[in-house]
Amino acid sequence: MYSQEYLQKFYNLPKKPSGRIRRSGPSFTSKVKDMQSFFGLNATGVLDSETLEVMRSPRCGVPDVEEYSNAQGTRWNKNIITYSIGRYTRDLPRSTVDFLLETAFRVWARASSLTFVRMHSHNADIMVEFVTSDHGDLYPFDGPRGTLAHAFGPGLGVGGDTHFDDDERWTTGKTGFNLHVVAAHEFGHALGLKHSRNPESLMYPTYKSSRGASLLASEDVANINTLYSKFSHPWLSGSLFPQLMQKKCAPDLTFDAVTTIGEATFFFRKRYLWIKHNEQYDIKEGPITNFMPKLKTSIDAAFWVPRRSTAYLIHESIFWTVKGSFAKGKPRSLSHFGFPASVQDIDAAVHIVKTGRTLFFIQDNYWSYNENRRVMDFGYPKNISEGFPGVNATINAAVYKEGLIYFFVGPQVYKYDYTHKHVVGVEKANSWLGC
Ligand SMILES: [Ca+2]
Ligand SMILES: [Ca+2]
Ligand SMILES: [Ca+2]
Ligand SMILES: [Zn+2]
Ligand SMILES: [Zn+2]
């Protein structure tokens, strides 16, 4: 009896262990009415053909009404949300899946102050997986059609996780099911949005293959901004931090710290942050606390160890660890790396993937930390001008990309070939921000 199962799944019709519920019974009829009024049908409580047609439409697996027992959080308490893709579908090439999911996140990023950073980590906030039937949560999929996907609301563990039924045929177009459209809907749930009764809304429960180019209705834009309003533009809510607003294209702009984190690059200056998504032109910016509420200080140096999916953000003699998600605990002391107590300040830090070393720059000197053995290398500190011929200045920030180290010195960046030990180019620091 499909309608009973439908109402149990999506309208909280109680399951009777003794067997079937009478279709003429009061609880069943009232749930049919709930469903009919949700979809704008005549709320007769009778399973007419129109009602059955809606019930047979492919749809999202998230219920249309709240389960009262479910007291999970309704939003993330941060503006940087990380995601990671676990099991892929075979319906599309991996790179296509990557692109469709990334652009589905971008639908929400464009409409809000949220930003999404892709990681390759099991600790990411939103784990995306293609799975079939029973897959480890309490909501097994149902083969072709019916339920297409579901997502958990914000929270720890399974919170935010998004599952696609891989018994569907996932596509980029109007045949099968369009992965971009379904993913954008599910990510709405992963951010804390509920189903909408408005057929124009992206959060309408049943599948629609064609939608406007932006996917979002004005209702969706309003809802995401209501949910995350506290983080949207706090510096506009008064003139509390006008000094935090930065002009990224000022000719003398310098950075305190630069690092990749997942597939994005983070630029820190005082208590301000720019986040540039690699391969994308959109840049998110704002006070650091906007993105990471715990970080109420500036960042002196930062580095990323891809193998551990971990970023280290250093302020004076302490550092924070960002592992997978941006909601991690307390800062630790720099002595963790084996520095003598006299080291209280780091100018710049960079992790070299090729050698497994993290280099710390302090005035004229640098230190080398072995990340594999987790000890400081013997014989350091050394002089920067000896280790890096051509670099004779205090380094503000450093980042490693594709075999090159980029040294930020004042408003300039020295592109450094670490293998051949020489500077191969100089560019303006803020050219990285599209200036
Ligand atoms: Ca999660
Ligand atoms: Ca299905
Ligand atoms: Ca610095
Ligand atoms: Zn949904
Ligand atoms: Zn699931």
Side-chain angles (χ1 to χ4, degrees), residues 338-359:
F339 284 112
S342 59
V343 172
Q344 294 286 315
D345 231 325
I346 308 269
D347 291 333
V350 63
H351 178 70
I352 314 292
V353 174
K354 208 167 123 187
T355 61
R357 298 303 200 275
T358 297
L359 307 176

Side-chain angles (χ1 to χ4, degrees), residues 67-74:
E67 287 180 52
Y68 297 107
S69 58
N70 194 346
Q72 68 188 359
T74 53

Side-chain angles (χ1 to χ4, degrees), residues 53-357:
E53 194 190 316
V54 174
M55 285 186 172
R56 282 191 213 103
S57 306
R59 59 163 289 157
C60 168
V62 174
D64 299 336
V65 295
E66 287 298 312
E67 287 180 52
Y68 297 107
S69 58
N70 194 346
Q72 68 188 359
T74 53
R75 69 157 190 211
W76 300 96
N77 286 315
K78 53 187 173 180
N79 263 11
I80 306 177
I81 318 263
T82 61
Y83 74 98
S84 184
I85 306 169
R87 277 166 282 184
Y88 279 74
T89 177
R90 291 206 188 140
D91 296 350
L92 295 163
R94 273 179 172 239
S95 59
T96 306
V97 172
D98 290 345
F99 177 75
L100 295 175
L101 297 179
E102 182 194 304
T103 51
F105 278 115
R106 224 188 292 168
V107 166
W108 294 108
R110 265 202 306 264
S112 68
S113 56
L114 297 169
T115 192
F116 301 93
V117 174
R118 183 173 177 201
M119 301 225 174
H120 299 272
S121 163
H122 293 295
N123 296 314
D125 297 319
I126 297 177
M127 291 298 304
V128 180
E129 313 240 31
F130 291 83
V131 292
T132 56
S133 55
D134 268 313
H135 55 276
D137 55 31
L138 295 171
Y139 310 96
F141 283 130
D142 52 2
R145 297 177 66 84
T147 299
L148 306 179
H150 57 220
F152 295 87
L156 298 172
V158 79
D161 292 3
T162 302
H163 301 156
F164 296 93
D165 187 349
D166 207 8
D167 279 332
E168 314 302 342
R169 190 163 64 85
W170 296 105
T171 67
T172 58
K174 293 200 196 300
T175 59
F177 294 105
N178 183 306
L179 180 59
H180 173 70
V181 172
V182 174
H185 172 100
E186 295 305 329
F187 296 155
H189 290 309
L191 298 176
L193 296 182
K194 299 179 176 69
H195 280 150
S196 165
R197 295 162 184 246
N198 172 5
E200 297 309 311
S201 164
L202 178 61
M203 297 316 290
Y204 195 65
T206 56
Y207 177 74
K208 268 171 86 179
S209 62
S210 66
R211 291 198 164 270
S214 91
L215 294 188
L216 299 185
S218 52
E219 173 189 313
D220 301 316
V221 176
N223 286 344
I224 195 72
N225 283 294
T226 305
L227 199 51
Y228 290 92
S229 61
K230 194 183 154 201
F231 295 103
S232 297
H233 300 288
W235 69 93
L236 292 180
S237 64
S239 50
L240 271 171
F241 299 109
Q243 75 277 18
L244 285 175
M245 296 188 72
Q246 304 282 336
K247 288 204 171 62
K248 66 177 183 182
C249 290
D252 55 349
L253 187 75
T254 59
F255 298 112
D256 296 338
V258 179
T259 186
T260 52
I261 298 184
E263 294 191 355
T265 308
F266 286 57
F267 299 82
F268 297 89
R269 177 183 160 80
K270 300 203 170 109
R271 285 160 65 189
Y272 205 77
L273 169 64
W274 290 268
I275 303 170
K276 182 185 193 302
H277 290 89
N278 303 349
E279 318 306 333
Q280 282 181 39
Y281 293 102
D282 61 319
I283 293 167
K284 285 273 163 154
E285 62 178 277
I288 296 172
T289 51
N290 237 22
F291 299 99
M292 299 176 257
K294 281 184 183 167
L295 286 190
K296 295 182 171 40
T297 64
S298 58
I299 298 297
D300 300 331
F303 64 98
W304 166 249
V305 181
R307 191 164 44 82
R308 281 185 219 136
S309 281
T310 302
Y312 300 82
L313 308 177
I314 303 168
H315 170 76
E316 293 174 356
S317 59
I318 56 170
F319 69 96
W320 286 265
T321 309
V322 173
K323 199 175 170 69
S325 170
F326 282 84
K328 286 287 153 170
K330 293 191 170 67
R332 286 189 279 171
S333 161
L334 265 192
S335 60
H336 165 90
F337 294 106
F339 284 112
S342 59
V343 172
Q344 294 286 315
D345 231 325
I346 308 269
D347 291 333
V350 63
H351 178 70
I352 314 292
V353 174
K354 208 167 123 187
T355 61
R357 298 303 200 275

